Amino acid sequence: MNFISTRGMEKATAAEAIVRGLASDGGLFVPESFPAVTAEEIASLSGMNYAERAAFIIGKYLGDFGADFLKEACAAAYASFDNADPAPLVRIGEGLYILELFRGPTCAFKDIALTLLPRLLKRAAELTGTEGEILILAATSGDTGKAALEGFRDVPGTKAAVFFPDEGVSRMQRLQMCTQDGNNVYAAGVKGNFDDCQRAVKALFLSESFNAELRKRGVRLSSANSINFGRLVPQIVYYFSAYADLVSSSQIEAGAPVDFAVPTGNFGDILAGWYAKKMGLPVGKLLCASNRNKVLTEFFKTGVYDANRNFYRTMSPSMDILVSSNLERLLFEVSGRDARLTASRMKSLSDGGRYEITSAEREALAEDFYAVCASEDETVEAMYDVFEEYGYAMDTHTGVAMHAAYFYREKRDEKDHTPVVVLSTANPYKFPQDVLYALSGNDVKDCFKGIKRLNLLTAMKPPKCLTDLRYKPLRFKQTLSADPAKMAAEILKFAEGEIVPVPASSGK
């Protein structure tokens, strides 16, 4: 299958799209057409394990990679998860389910893709004849950074560098990134918010001079953000997997629709659900759940995307985003694949922080999406209600999506009993203080004390990879301004082999 750019119809093979990450015109690669998955094929997924499902669905896009390779790569990637099923579906109430996507090595849904991406990237490099080292460069609102650093740790022929908003991630997320082991990794904070990080990183991808300097060093850039289709395609799988589980457990009949509530920041996770629908999965509504930074909610309701607004730091920091990169892929599709119009809208966003779609486009989006935002109080209330009624503890991002699910179920037609699957994107222990406060009203300042008290409250075992962070010394302590030139200088030193030493551990 070939891929095209959202801004200029630039073409690439699947392997080229994954190696490059971003099109040279600044656009995002999308499939030239959406592959179909038949009802019979969806039914066949019930007899497969998760790795087999992943190989099958991903193969629809990456057929050139080879069926045997995909089976082996998916089996190896998901063997690192702490559950036989990397994406288990939990029923918590009548017609209400939670899809747990945090069973991977860094306790976040990004592991679903980033345990597999290094294998896809290596295969893509082989298929394209790409020589030299590949440097993974990513902006992160918290979870992508750790998952990328862990996924690419000591993978031959690669380096991984991530930038995160210095005051825009949780304490646990910061510790996960800044204590990372490996001889090919780098992390730094950036003064500003995630949008500042993302803007600077995109500028580096498009900088001819920076890329030329990397080439002199035998290095080329690629991305671990969901702007890279290799990051996005594994996320399509868990929508199909959840549906197959609902059918095989007799919760629904084959062909019946299912709604999905998705906590949304950079729009990659929910876009994967829309791609699944385009492929033939019976998806009803995709509930776009936003926190107090409700730029997406207002976009779907008004047709105006306006990033010129106050930015709020919330208890769901991975969603504290005002410029949702993956929305560009959806805009491209809803415009009738008009690359020139998409490029014009993205330029308007870059220059003035704003663009507007037509009323016809907005109505088309309303067929598939329903947008809801949650205040901090509404997030806490949803988390508390679920714990009180079902004994289920969730993280703050899942709390935003749960609010959206409750809100939508109250507003829809009373005869509509379509099941709702809420995507749970992080282990509650990644945000222990906020989760503890939501469930008990107990406010603690120290995240490890929060883990202890949350464990006492819920009896849920905290992941060892998080509790061990207490004893790991900080390795990465640098904070930079959101200046592409200064960030480039640090990356070039990293590309040349300047590695921050791993400090001696004081572990117990």
Side-chain angles (χ1 to χ4, degrees):
M1 174 179 288
N2 287 325
F3 287 72
I4 55 178
S5 167
T6 53
R7 299 191 191 181
M9 305 302 283
E10 178 183 337
K11 286 194 176 184
T13 65
E16 289 169 342
I18 289 174
V19 168
R20 290 160 60 184
L22 192 67
S24 60
D25 56 17
L28 308 185
F29 285 114
V30 296
E32 202 165 35
S33 61
F34 287 101
V37 180
T38 67
E40 291 75 17
E41 288 174 322
I42 294 173
S44 73
L45 296 176
S46 295
M48 303 179 188
N49 63 32
Y50 189 87
E52 291 167 339
R53 293 171 181 178
F56 177 78
I57 297 298
I58 293 170
K60 294 285 185 177
Y61 291 95
L62 308 184
D64 292 348
F65 284 51
D68 289 341
F69 163 78
L70 289 174
K71 288 177 183 177
E72 293 172 6
C74 291
Y78 299 127
S80 65
F81 283 57
D82 70 359
N83 200 61
D85 183 357
L89 189 69
V90 178
R91 183 181 184 275
I92 63 167
E94 183 66 33
L96 186 61
Y97 304 83
I98 292 181
L99 183 61
E100 295 184 339
L101 301 174
F102 51 77
R103 298 293 185 166
T106 76
C107 303
F109 82 104
K110 306 297 176 77
D111 290 325
I112 297 283
L114 284 167
T115 52
L116 182 59
L117 181 59
R119 294 170 172 84
L120 297 181
L121 187 60
K122 182 179 179 181
R123 178 63 172 158
E126 292 171 354
L127 292 173
T128 57
T130 300
E131 297 180 352
E133 223 169 24
I134 295 176
L135 194 157
I136 301 299
L137 179 61
T140 177
S141 55
D143 290 332
T144 290
K146 171 60 179 179
L149 294 171
E150 182 64 26
F152 283 93
R153 173 172 57 93
D154 293 330
V155 172
T158 69
K159 284 185 168 72
V162 302
F163 293 100
F164 59 90
D166 187 51
E167 297 182 1
V169 297
S170 76
R171 173 67 174 160
M172 201 64 72
Q173 288 173 315
R174 176 187 288 273
L175 286 172
Q176 281 189 298
M177 288 183 281
C178 293
T179 60
Q180 176 68 48
D181 296 326
N183 290 318
N184 64 336
V185 298
Y186 170 83
V190 172
K191 295 176 182 177
N193 57 38
F194 171 74
D195 295 316
D196 298 317
C197 292
Q198 182 167 251
R199 192 178 302 113
V201 166
K202 280 190 174 181
L204 292 175
F205 268 94
L206 298 175
S207 169
E208 293 183 6
S209 60
F210 174 63
N211 281 274
E213 288 297 322
L214 285 176
R215 286 193 294 270
K216 289 179 184 178
R217 295 159 174 81
V219 176
R220 69 171 299 152
L221 281 183
S222 189
S223 175
N225 285 105
S226 52
I227 59 174
N228 189 325
F229 192 80
R231 235 296 298 278
L232 184 64
V233 66
Q235 296 178 249
I236 300 171
V237 176
Y238 45 71
Y239 288 91
F240 280 93
S241 184
Y243 192 89
D245 287 346
L246 286 170
V247 173
S248 64
S249 61
S250 301
Q251 302 294 307
I252 62 170
E253 294 184 1
V258 175
D259 299 328
F260 291 88
V262 189
T264 309
N266 218 18
F267 209 75
D269 205 10
I270 195 167
L271 181 72
W274 189 78
Y275 273 30
K277 184 172 185 175
K278 294 289 286 185
M279 295 170 70
L281 190 69
V283 176
K285 278 285 194 285
L286 290 161
L287 310 184
C288 180
S290 298
N291 62 16
R292 195 179 175 193
N293 294 292
K294 54 185 179 179
V295 61
L296 285 167
T297 307
E298 293 182 1
F299 166 71
F300 280 108
K301 290 182 177 179
T302 67
V304 176
Y305 195 101
D306 191 351
N308 300 308
R309 62 181 65 228
N310 291 332
F311 174 85
Y312 299 104
R313 289 191 171 94
T314 72
M315 66 173 64
S316 47
S318 296
M319 299 163 64
D320 291 347
I321 297 172
L322 294 181
V323 179
S324 303
S325 286
N326 270 289
L327 189 60
E328 180 174 341
R329 285 184 164 113
L330 184 64
L331 289 174
F332 176 71
E333 301 296 343
V334 79
S335 71
R337 300 201 141 197
D338 189 330
R340 182 176 297 180
L341 177 58
T342 304
S344 174
R345 285 169 170 167
M346 293 302 98
K347 188 175 188 306
S348 295
L349 180 63
S350 176
D351 293 346
R354 184 183 187 278
Y355 62 82
E356 185 172 356
I357 63 174
T358 67
S359 58
E361 290 171 326
R362 181 166 57 83
E363 290 171 6
L365 291 178
E367 293 292 317
D368 296 328
F369 295 91
Y370 186 92
V372 181
C373 61
S375 67
E376 299 286 82
D377 287 345
E378 288 168 332
T379 302
V380 166
E381 184 177 359
M383 296 167 67
Y384 177 81
D385 286 348
V386 170
F387 184 68
E388 184 74 5
E389 186 169 358
Y390 305 110
Y392 188 93
M394 64 184 65
D395 88 294
T396 49
H397 304 75
T398 309
V400 172
M402 184 58 68
H403 168 77
Y406 278 152
F407 184 90
Y408 178 70
R409 278 157 54 109
E410 288 177 2
K411 295 293 183 181
R412 68 186 181 183
D413 190 295
E414 62 181 16
K415 295 180 181 179
D416 185 352
H417 301 294
T418 303
V420 178
V421 174
V422 176
L423 272 60
S424 184
T425 54
N427 190 297
Y429 283 110
K430 288 197 76 166
F431 309 91
Q433 296 127 293
D434 288 318
V435 175
L436 180 67
Y437 174 76
L439 303 188
S440 69
N442 194 340
D443 192 6
V444 298
K445 301 301 181 185
D446 178 74
C447 58
F448 295 103
K449 185 178 289 186
I451 285 179
K452 184 176 181 180
R453 294 190 181 179
L454 187 58
N455 174 239
L456 291 172
L457 176 67
T458 65
M460 180 174 57
K461 184 179 179 181
K464 187 174 185 296
C465 65
L466 297 182
T467 56
D468 284 353
L469 291 173
R470 183 172 191 169
Y471 308 111
K472 292 191 71 173
L474 288 179
R475 180 182 181 188
F476 301 103
K477 304 176 183 179
Q478 193 174 30
T479 300
L480 306 171
S481 64
D483 180 349
K486 292 181 180 178
M487 294 164 68
E490 295 303 317
I491 296 170
L492 289 174
K493 289 192 289 186
F494 173 58
E496 288 173 347
E498 185 174 308
I499 303 294
V500 175
V502 179
S505 175
S506 58
K508 295 183 179 180

